[in-house]
């Protein structure tokens, strides 16, 4: 698959717009169908891992409605024993790295969270989409070009552990 830089060099602007900003053309129904499919994929992943067994209390919800009925609201404390120990064996996907954060709430002032390849790829795609949108003058037209430099205004992944 061609990189964003390669596509910019080849002036494949329409293709980039469609890939990173095409969601803007979706109807609300189409958008919600995609969201539902993504939730169902997550549900299937958690149905097949140890953490899912714990959260679902031995059940295997088949639908999002089943999940909503079965699983109560959870907090970090519900997962802390596994996450703080960096126990990847209970997760649905192998983490590429673990980050340490310090958000408020719960018994644990410092929290650890797994970042999978999927999370990192999604973050990269979101940044690219934001860059395209932030340089847009109208739908399908943007001024991002290969070799452009930009200031990444977010902190890097915090406290790699």
């Amino acid at each position: 698959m061609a990189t964003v830089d390669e596509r910019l060099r080849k002036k494949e602007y329409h293709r980039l717009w469609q890939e990173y900003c095409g969601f803007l053309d979706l109807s609300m129904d189409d958008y919600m169908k995609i969201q539902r499919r993504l939730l169902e994929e997550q549900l299937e992943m958690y149905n097949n891992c140890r953490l899912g067994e714990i959260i679902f209390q031995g059940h295997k919800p088949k639908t999002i409605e089943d999940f909503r009925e079965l699983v109560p609201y959870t907090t970090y404390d519900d997962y802390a024993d596994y996450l703080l120990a960096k126990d990847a064996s209970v997760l649905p996907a192998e983490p590429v790295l673990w980050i340490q954060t310090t958000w408020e709430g719960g018994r644990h002032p410092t929290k650890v969270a797994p970042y999978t390849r999927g999370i990192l790829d999604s973050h990269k795609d979101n940044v690219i989409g934001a860059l395209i949108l932030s340089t847009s003058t109208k739908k399908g037209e943007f001024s991002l070009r290969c070799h452009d430099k930009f200031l990444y205004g977010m902190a890097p992944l915090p406290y790699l552990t």
Side-chain angles (χ1 to χ4, degrees):
M1 187 163 135
T3 67
V4 171
D5 197 50
E6 290 167 343
R7 287 187 181 153
L8 287 170
R9 263 196 301 275
K10 293 177 183 177
K11 299 183 179 182
E12 295 178 354
Y13 305 127
H14 177 74
R15 187 170 176 187
L16 283 166
W17 178 270
Q18 281 306 114
E19 184 173 341
Y20 292 97
C21 303
F23 67 91
L24 295 170
D25 291 328
L26 294 173
S27 69
M28 184 57 74
D29 283 344
D30 288 340
Y31 180 82
M32 293 309 295
K33 285 177 189 172
I34 292 169
Q35 294 305 307
R36 184 172 190 83
R37 179 181 53 79
L38 293 171
L39 280 169
E40 288 168 348
E41 288 173 8
Q42 292 296 308
L43 184 60
E44 186 175 336
M45 285 175 50
Y46 277 90
N47 266 330
N48 296 309
C49 77
R50 178 70 183 122
L51 191 57
E53 290 175 17
I54 295 163
I55 295 167
F56 303 155
Q57 301 170 354
H59 301 292
K60 289 196 178 236
K62 299 287 185 227
T63 66
I64 294 166
E65 292 74 24
D66 289 346
F67 170 80
R68 288 182 177 143
E69 269 185 44
L70 186 66
V71 180
Y73 177 75
T74 61
T75 68
Y76 187 85
D77 288 337
D78 296 310
Y79 315 103
D81 291 342
Y82 306 102
L83 299 179
L84 291 171
K86 298 180 185 175
D87 184 358
S89 70
V90 301
L91 300 175
E94 185 68 29
V96 173
L97 55 94
W98 292 84
I99 62 162
Q100 181 175 317
T101 63
T102 55
W103 69 84
E104 296 295 322
R107 297 178 317 194
H108 308 282
T110 300
K111 294 162 177 69
V112 175
Y115 270 49
T116 62
R117 173 56 43 209
I119 290 170
L120 294 172
D121 289 346
S122 180
H123 179 72
K124 178 192 70 154
D125 290 346
N126 291 339
V127 169
I128 293 167
L131 284 169
I132 290 171
L133 284 172
S134 69
T135 64
S136 294
T137 53
K138 64 181 181 179
K139 179 182 169 184
E141 293 184 19
F142 56 95
S143 61
L144 182 65
R145 298 297 179 253
C146 67
H147 304 300
D148 278 356
K149 304 284 186 239
F150 67 95
L151 176 62
Y152 185 63
M154 292 175 57
L157 293 176
Y159 315 112
L160 295 179
T161 59

